[in-house]
Each structure stands twice: as structure tokens, then as C-alpha cells.
Amino acid sequence: MIRSSFCDGWEFARDDGRFAPVVVPHDAMLGNRRGPDAPAASASGYYYGARYRYRKTFTLEEPQVVMIEFEGVYRNPKIMVNGAEIAAPPYGFIPFFVDVSDVVHRGENIIEMQADNSDQPDCRWYSGGGLYRQVWLWEGGTAHIEAEGVKVTTLSLTPAVVRVDVLSTGGTAHVAVIDEAGNVVGEGTGTSCEIAIPNARLWSAEQPSLYTCHVELLHDGRVVDTADSTFGIRTVEWGPEGLFVNGRETLLRGGCIHCDNGVIGAASFPESERRRIRIMKAAGFNAVRVAHNPSPSSLLEACDEIGMYIMEESWDMWFTRKSAHDYASEFLDWCDHDLARSVSHDYNHPSVIMYSIGNEVADPITKSGVAIERSLVELAHSLDPTRPVTAGLNLAMMVMEHAGRGWYSSGSGVSEAAQDGGAPRDSMLFNLAAQAWGSSMTYLANAPGADKIVSPGLDALDIAGYNYAAARYKVDARKHPDRLIVGSETFPHEIDRNWRLVEKLPSVIGDFMWAGWDYLGEAGAGAWAYTAEEAGFSKPWPWLLAGSGAIDLLGQAGAPAALAGAVWGKLVKPSIMVRPVNMMAKKTYRATWRGTDAIPSWSWAGCEGMVAEVEVYDAHAHAVRLELNGEEVSTQPVRRFVAKFKLAYEPGTLRAIALDRDGRELGHSQLVSADSRLHVEARPETRSGKAGGIVYVDVAIRGSNGEVESSCDMQLTATVEDGELLGFGSARPATTERYDSGSFATYRGRAQAIVYRDAPGTATLTIQPAGLESTSVAIDYVSVNASS
């Protein structure tokens, strides 16, 4: 079947409002109101839910077999095509197809869709809403290759042999394997054929070599359909001795990511997903845990091309509610469907190396929960025996629940909490406890009797996912020698201790910090605060951002990323981080999910003479010498990969020199203050964009020397000519401003604009600071082929 983009030409209306044209992918929730009385409170970033309506007219020439693929609709979609209702799954994060062959006709057709997240809370974080992922149209004749009908499996590496399975209706399949240079390197015929590939280049995160499987369907001697699928030649093996990719032991340097893309909300554009993966890889990550829902195809493709391993997760809850209106009541009816769709969607992507069937579900402390867990593992194995199955189990939470208060129903099925609609006891309770008790919470997982409680759930998995339970690694390596463990969720500031265990214990294969990238919702969970009213896990209105990311909402790497890079040996020179000097006079209220609030800036105008705290991270140094404007401040030892300094702030050049045990220089780096001639500057991150796509523009307050001024924030207004401003904002964690308004204050000197244009040509972005001269930048967009 021929796939083409189905994102153009949509109209949108909120609740009972009027329809207007809209760019898809489109996060409808981002346009909802926010307020202190929002039912989901800090979980959603104080956004309300709503009903979202979409419609689109489209023309077909000779429709025979027609399907529409939705990569994600949040949530409970109702679809009508030419007045006929088409069934759709309720889960808001699952890709799905609808077959409209029987209800479409030649000429003009109309599709109408409604999504609904008006019942709140329905998620523990900001979910987004509506048509927030890409939509595709699939068309084929009577004889055709089914959508997702080509599956490629690596059978061996030496020699490299793949099996290609083709699901088609009618005709005979001819298969060609094509390398990145366009050469045909192997061929086969039939619905299942094995193809040897000479001198094969294997796929890994370090060397992400890809091939194309080109299938032609022949009927009566002519080609009636074609399909192309990108794949990598890659094997995954696992056991008590470790995880092996292509026969080589692989340790996962992981970060957890949520579904949103910052100032455009949950809208999933290919440029957004690729940008995030590129930045994370540059920071030293080689793996992401997509938490807590299946990935969009553009993220999978980015990981395939750039080289990033994926732990692909399915759900945040099973049959016990975590939020009053979440997916628990539908889970048992749809879980097999959801998992099957996720596996089919992911199958040819070499970046996906394991499936996760849940996050912090306490259901496996019951026999019915373990039974469901085992059935899901078996289903995944039956659909794809080449990848292991894990789940991020919060062992401390499971222990707490076992000590519990009659949460679960006595038999299988929806829990009492889900049945009676009462207030669920969700993992927010664990988060609040962790905020109060700090990292010592990890030791609750090692309480007397804990092993008996958690082992049935852990042992049902190929790889046992431990959330915040690093204290058990050594114990379980001895007690359960056949158990393979991954740190599926950990505190970022514990990466040095955790990574020592990953390197030491063959049965522990990696660490996924929470979080790799900051996100909307769970407002303030990982943010340091500077007033007593804002202390704690769940921050008050108008907090919006979680503040947990090693990389902030705009893509700027902070001190947690520097620490991880040092621990992993990925820093090529010392990394200088500075705690916000303009906040040093205030009392600091720390957060469990963040070890430091330092950022890479020595530009704090108006803070002269104030105490500055400097952190210098390095992978190999014995000590660090710090110099300010050519004068030595002091030399401090490196402990746990960081040297710390206190000094009076003075603008200029701050230089850090990493030293070995003999005092010899290993490397150096510096931060420079912005000079006093400040202006606003807009810098597109790419030279051009693709028509129908987006370009990220870095907006910052800079001195004439190009440096960003971190303590001078101002209100900016952004407008776009001959294009569309999809989002504009900053990483300001607490604000009443809106990303869709075109007006936002910078935060620590930075903001970000995301510009869309539907056709080739030039769009112009203008930034107007309050009371200062405006600045404009032209962005060129070039044509692309949208069909595949």
C-alpha cells in the first residue's frame, strides 16, 4: 500500500466552538485554559481538559483498499467517515489503523473526529490532547502489501542473514535489500525468504548502519504494489551475564523522557524528536526509556538514524487506577491489542531493544496481577521473540502496598479503586514520600520481607526493572544469580554510585535517570525553590514545569547532564556549572529529583560581589584549578566527579583547568560573561526547514560578544510573516503565560520560537523586546517528498 501524509487540511474546534484551520500534529490541550482550580492540579501543570473536534475533506481517485493510520489521539477518539462511525481504541498513546474501504467513495470524502480528555485527572503528567501525532493515508488495490506488512528479522551475524516476512493479499513478493549507497546486496522471493548479506554493516548505537528492504508485489507479471522498510542488522541477547548487542556486552546510559516537546506541548513533529535525540546523544546518553507510553514513528526513526537504544514502554497503569479517570477501567479489555500494536509498530526498528509492559504498577503483588504480567510477557514473546520484556517496578511502592489498605479486589479484574471511582492511591504518594525522605527511600525496597513480596513480579520478566532500588543490586546479584536487572528509573545525582554497580555487576545492565529531558506537568517535582510556599513535590499554581530534566525544556544541558557525562567518561573537557548567583541570598529548598540547580553561565549582571558557587565536572581529573580573569581562585580536589568552589562574583572569564595527580593539565574550559551592550538575538538552529515542517529558533539576550546574560530577563513578543508561530516560550518553571500567545518572558536569558511553513519559501520571525529595538530573521523552507 502507498502511504502519504494525511496531516494537511484539518480544521479544529474546542468543545462547541467554531472550526478553524489547524496544523497537525496539533496539541489541543495546549490551548486549554489553566488555573489554580484545575482538577488535575500540578499533575497536568494546572491545565484543564476539554473535548476536541477535527474535520477534514479529502479526495480519492479510485479507492479500493483505504486505511487511515493515527499515530496517537488523546483520547477516547470517535471517528466518522462520510457519516459512518468507525471503531477506534480508547488508549491515547497507541498508534492504530482504521479501515475505511467500505465507507469512502471516488471524489470528495469527509472525516470527522472527536477526542475527549475533559474528565480530569486522567494522567499523572501533562498528556496533551487531540491529534498530537502524525496521521497517514494508506491506499492499495485488490492485490496489495498490508500496512506494516513487511517484517525483517536478523537470524545471524556471521554470515549476516535476515528473514523477510511479507503479509500481502494476492500476488507474489519479490524482495531486495538495499544498502545506504543504493546498492542491491541481497534478493529473495516469496512471503517468507532468507537473504544472506555479504560484508554486512551491523547496527548499534555506536555505528547505526541501516538498510532498506524493498518489496515489490507482482500480479500477472506486473508490479501492483511496493513497500519500503528501513531496518538494521542487529541481534540482542540477554542472560545473567548481561545484555549483548551483536555479541558485545552493552551498558545502557539511559534517560527517561516524557511525551511533550516543550513549547509546542505534546505535538510530535519529526524535527522535534530528532532534535531531542541528537542533543541527548551529544550529552552522552546511549539509551532512552520512552515513559510511559509507546513512541511515535518519528522518534523511532531518529533513534535508528542517530544511534540510540530504546526501552519502549506501554502503560503507566494496569487495572488499578493512579488517577481518577485514567485508563485502568479499559486496560483489561484492550491491553492485548495495545501491546500487539506497539510490537508491530516497532518491529523493524533496530533501536528498540526491549519492551516495557508497565511503570510503577503495584498489581504484581497479587496473584491476578502476576497472571496478567505473565500473559503480557508471553504475548510479546509470541509476536517478537528477538527482544526481552521488562517493566519499571517500584519495589518500595510494592512493599508499601503489600503493607496496604485493601487496595486490590480479591480476584482478577478492575481493582476496587477503579470500580468505585474513589480517590485512587497513585504513585504521587510515593513521590511525596520520596520528597520527604530523600534518597533513603531506595532502602525501603530492601526492607525485611521485601524480597518475597516483589520477586514474583520481577521473575516474570526477562529483565527486572528496578525503580529507585539500587540498594538491592548487590543483594539480588547474590540472592538471585539468574536475575538480570536494569535500573529503570533512578535519581540523577546518584549516577556515580549506580554506575559503579553497573560496571561491577554483570547482572545490572544499565541506568535510566529521571529525567533525561524536562517536561510539562508534575509541576515542580524536581525543581529547587526559593520560597517556603514553593517547597515540596507538588508545587502550587502557577508552576508548570517538572524541573527534573538533566536537559531543560529548551534543550540546554545542566549540571545533572554534566555529572552523568563525567561518570560515563564522555566529557571531553571540564564542564563548568554555576548555581544561579542572583538566588544565592535566598534560602534554597531542594528537590529529591535534582542534586543541583547549577547551569553553564558566568553572566550574572547586578550580582557583583555576591557569593557564587561553582561546580566543575570532569571524568578523569584528580583536582581542578579555577581562575577568574587570569587570577587563581583556588585548587580543589575532585570528589565524586566534581570539584566545588565558592568565590565572589565578578564578571569576566572563569577558567577551569583539570589536573592529574602530578598537577599536569588534562584539559581546560571557560565561561565568559556577556558584556553590557545587550540585545535580543534570534538564531535558527538549522540553515533551512522542510516545507510542512518546523524550525527551532534560539532566542536569547546576548552581549555584543555573543554571550547570554542569565540575570536580565525581559518580556518578548514573537510574530511570524509568511509562516506560522506554533510555539513561543522559555523554561520559566512557574508562569501564567501561554506558549500559544506569542508573548513570553525569557528565563535566565533564553527563550525559544518554533516556526512552521506549509510550502517552499521564506518565513520571517520578528522578536520585539519591551522597549527595545526588534530583531528579525528569515527562514527558508524547501520542498520534500511526503509519500513513501
Side-chain angles (χ1 to χ4, degrees):
M1 300 179 73
I2 302 300
R3 186 185 78 160
S4 59
S5 175
F6 203 57
C7 292
D8 294 338
W10 289 92
E11 294 182 313
F12 167 74
R14 192 182 326 277
D15 293 322
D16 296 322
R18 298 178 62 180
F19 279 96
V22 69
V23 175
V24 172
H26 171 244
D27 178 8
M29 191 172 181
L30 201 67
N32 291 357
R33 62 192 177 105
R34 293 180 66 223
D37 297 325
S42 62
S44 69
Y46 295 94
Y47 274 93
Y48 287 79
R51 287 186 300 110
Y52 315 113
R53 296 181 294 144
Y54 295 84
R55 68 186 183 190
K56 167 188 170 83
T57 58
F58 60 103
T59 301
L60 299 174
E61 296 298 329
E62 295 290 343
Q64 296 184 50
V65 179
V66 182
M67 304 185 76
I68 301 174
E69 177 188 3
F70 296 89
E71 290 203 24
V73 179
Y74 200 89
R75 65 185 279 241
N76 300 316
K78 294 181 180 179
I79 300 171
M80 302 276 287
V81 177
N82 294 330
E85 186 170 353
I86 308 295
Y91 189 33
F93 295 112
I94 200 72
F96 63 93
F97 292 87
V98 292
D99 188 341
V100 298
S101 305
D102 294 336
V103 297
V104 295
H105 49 251
R106 182 178 182 178
E108 188 174 277
N109 298 263
I110 184 166
I111 180 170
E112 301 166 279
M113 195 207 73
Q114 177 178 295
D116 190 342
N117 71 344
S118 57
D119 290 332
Q120 293 285 319
D122 70 345
C123 189
R124 293 189 305 109
W125 60 93
Y126 176 88
S127 63
L131 282 178
Y132 69 101
R133 290 182 179 175
Q134 295 183 98
V135 189
W136 304 92
L137 180 70
W138 293 74
E139 298 179 84
T142 304
H144 62 270
I145 302 167
E146 299 291 343
E148 294 182 358
V150 177
K151 297 288 190 289
V152 185
T153 306
T154 300
L155 300 179
S156 64
L157 301 179
T158 52
V161 178
V162 299
R163 185 183 69 241
V164 179
D165 295 301
V166 180
L167 181 61
S168 63
T169 299
T172 301
H174 178 266
V175 180
V177 174
I178 303 170
D179 67 15
E180 291 176 302
N183 303 309
V184 176
V185 295
E187 296 182 274
T189 302
T191 57
S192 184
C193 58
E194 295 184 8
I195 301 174
I197 302 173
N199 304 312
R201 295 174 63 86
L202 307 184
W203 188 96
S204 66
E206 295 71 34
Q207 294 181 312
S209 300
L210 294 170
Y211 290 83
T212 298
C213 180
H214 176 73
V215 181
E216 294 181 341
L217 189 68
L218 286 79
H219 184 70
D220 293 336
R222 64 186 182 90
V223 176
V224 295
D225 199 5
T226 63
D228 289 317
S229 185
T230 302
F231 72 97
I233 300 171
R234 191 268 294 128
T235 60
V236 178
E237 299 169 283
W238 61 94
E241 64 281 0
L243 176 74
F244 298 84
V245 175
N246 300 330
R248 298 183 61 180
E249 184 181 17
T250 300
L251 304 180
L252 303 177
R253 306 186 302 272
C256 301
I257 58 176
H258 259 323
C259 63
D260 74 75
N261 284 304
V263 302
I264 55 172
S268 177
F269 286 85
E271 296 90 341
S272 302
E273 308 299 352
R274 186 176 186 85
R275 176 180 183 269
R276 173 159 48 182
I277 297 305
R278 173 178 52 80
I279 291 172
M280 291 187 71
K281 185 161 186 177
F285 294 92
N286 73 349
V288 292
R289 175 186 176 216
V290 184
H292 307 287
N293 46 260
S295 307
S297 60
S298 52
L299 187 144
L300 299 173
E301 291 161 3
C303 291
D304 290 345
E305 295 166 10
I306 295 171
M308 183 74 74
Y309 298 119
I310 297 177
M311 178 194 294
E312 181 81 319
E313 199 150 75
S314 292
W315 309 279
D316 185 48
M317 81 297 293
W318 287 356
F319 57 76
T320 299
R321 278 186 182 155
K322 292 184 175 182
S323 302
H325 300 285
D326 66 18
Y327 189 60
S329 58
E330 292 100 345
F331 174 80
L332 291 175
D333 293 330
W334 286 93
C335 60
D336 286 357
H337 165 274
D338 295 346
L339 184 56
R341 283 295 310 123
S342 182
V343 171
S344 177
H345 187 246
D346 296 352
Y347 194 93
N348 288 348
H349 292 281
S351 54
V352 178
I353 60 169
M354 70 179 77
Y355 302 114
S356 171
I357 56 173
N359 170 65
E360 292 184 348
V361 290
D363 305 76
I365 66 171
T366 68
K367 290 182 179 180
S368 59
V370 173
I372 289 172
E373 181 182 20
R374 291 188 182 279
S375 72
L376 292 172
V377 172
E378 291 172 4
L379 176 60
H381 286 167
S382 70
L383 298 169
D384 181 1
T386 70
R387 293 176 171 101
V389 179
T390 187
L393 297 184
N394 191 313
L395 310 190
M397 186 185 300
M398 294 169 76
V399 171
M400 292 166 69
E401 289 305 324
H402 188 267
R405 302 169 287 270
W407 187 321
Y408 295 99
S409 57
S410 58
S412 62
V414 178
S415 67
E416 291 173 4
Q419 289 172 343
D420 64 21
R425 294 200 306 274
D426 64 16
S427 56
M428 174 78 77
L429 292 176
F430 171 79
N431 292 336
L432 291 169
Q435 181 75 19
W437 301 339
S439 299
S440 62
M441 192 69 177
T442 61
Y443 293 94
L444 180 60
N446 219 8
D451 185 66
K452 184 177 179 180
I453 296 168
V454 301
S455 283
L458 294 171
D459 292 339
L461 303 165
D462 299 315
I463 301 175
Y466 283 33
N467 282 19
Y468 307 106
R472 288 187 62 108
Y473 291 172
K474 285 184 179 180
V475 174
D476 286 354
R478 295 191 302 268
K479 187 177 291 188
H480 301 282
D482 294 331
R483 182 181 294 171
L484 190 61
I485 298 169
V486 63
S488 43
E489 194 166 315
T490 62
F491 296 115
H493 51 277
E494 295 184 347
I495 182 63
D496 59 325
R497 295 191 182 102
N498 293 344
W499 197 251
R500 283 200 299 269
L501 296 172
V502 171
E503 292 183 315
K504 179 179 180 180
L505 301 173
S507 59
V508 182
I509 64 170
D511 179 277
F512 287 81
M513 69 172 64
W514 191 272
W517 195 286
D518 205 16
Y519 55 96
L520 309 182
E522 285 193 317
W528 286 24
Y530 307 98
T531 67
E533 294 77 15
E534 296 177 318
F537 173 83
S538 182
K539 299 289 195 293
W541 164 262
W543 275 79
L544 173 59
L545 308 186
S548 304
I551 300 169
D552 77 8
L553 196 77
L554 305 190
Q556 302 295 317
L563 173 60
V567 170
W568 296 329
K570 297 299 178 180
L571 288 184
V572 297
K573 59 182 180 179
S575 179
I576 309 173
M577 297 285 164
V578 181
R579 293 197 56 211
V581 181
N582 57 353
M583 293 294 174
M584 294 304 294
K586 298 183 178 182
K587 183 176 181 179
T588 300
Y589 297 86
R590 303 185 176 221
T592 299
W593 275 267
R594 176 167 293 277
T596 173
D597 60 352
I599 64 171
S601 174
W602 189 248
S603 196
W604 303 94
C607 297
E608 289 78 4
M610 296 180 66
V611 174
E613 294 186 7
V614 176
E615 303 166 2
V616 182
Y617 297 86
D618 194 84
H620 308 292
H622 175 70
V624 172
R625 183 171 69 247
L626 191 68
E627 298 175 352
L628 177 58
N629 296 327
E631 299 291 329
E632 181 175 346
V633 176
S634 66
T635 298
Q636 296 295 332
V638 174
R639 295 188 175 94
R640 297 181 63 185
F641 299 93
V642 60
K644 296 185 178 182
F645 302 83
K646 284 188 178 182
L647 65 157
Y649 175 74
E650 175 186 323
T653 300
L654 187 70
R655 192 167 188 260
I657 301 97
L659 307 172
D660 67 10
R661 290 182 178 275
D662 298 320
R664 292 173 298 198
E665 179 176 332
L666 296 173
H668 65 271
S669 60
Q670 66 183 32
L671 296 175
V672 178
S673 305
D675 61 29
S676 59
R677 296 184 292 263
L678 299 179
H679 65 286
V680 174
E681 190 172 331
R683 297 179 178 179
E685 292 187 356
T686 53
R687 292 183 178 179
S688 62
K690 296 178 180 179
I694 60 176
V695 170
Y696 279 76
V697 183
D698 173 64
V699 179
I701 302 168
R702 298 180 185 271
S704 61
N705 59 354
E707 300 294 334
V708 176
E709 175 52 62
S710 297
S711 68
C712 180
D713 287 317
M714 60 181 65
Q715 195 74 27
L716 305 178
T717 299
T719 56
V720 172
E721 183 179 355
D722 298 324
E724 186 167 342
L725 183 69
L726 292 191
F728 180 63
S730 70
R732 184 169 295 278
T735 180
T736 60
E737 300 165 299
R738 301 185 61 87
Y739 298 131
D740 57 359
S741 70
S743 178
F744 219 95
T746 58
Y747 183 64
R748 293 176 180 164
R750 292 187 181 273
Q752 184 179 81
I754 299 179
V755 180
Y756 169 88
R757 181 178 163 87
D758 63 353
T762 301
T764 302
L765 169 69
T766 298
I767 303 295
Q768 177 66 66
L772 295 178
E773 185 177 347
S774 67
T775 184
S776 297
V777 61
I779 308 167
D780 294 327
Y781 292 77
V782 298
S783 61
V784 293
N785 183 0
S787 298
S788 61

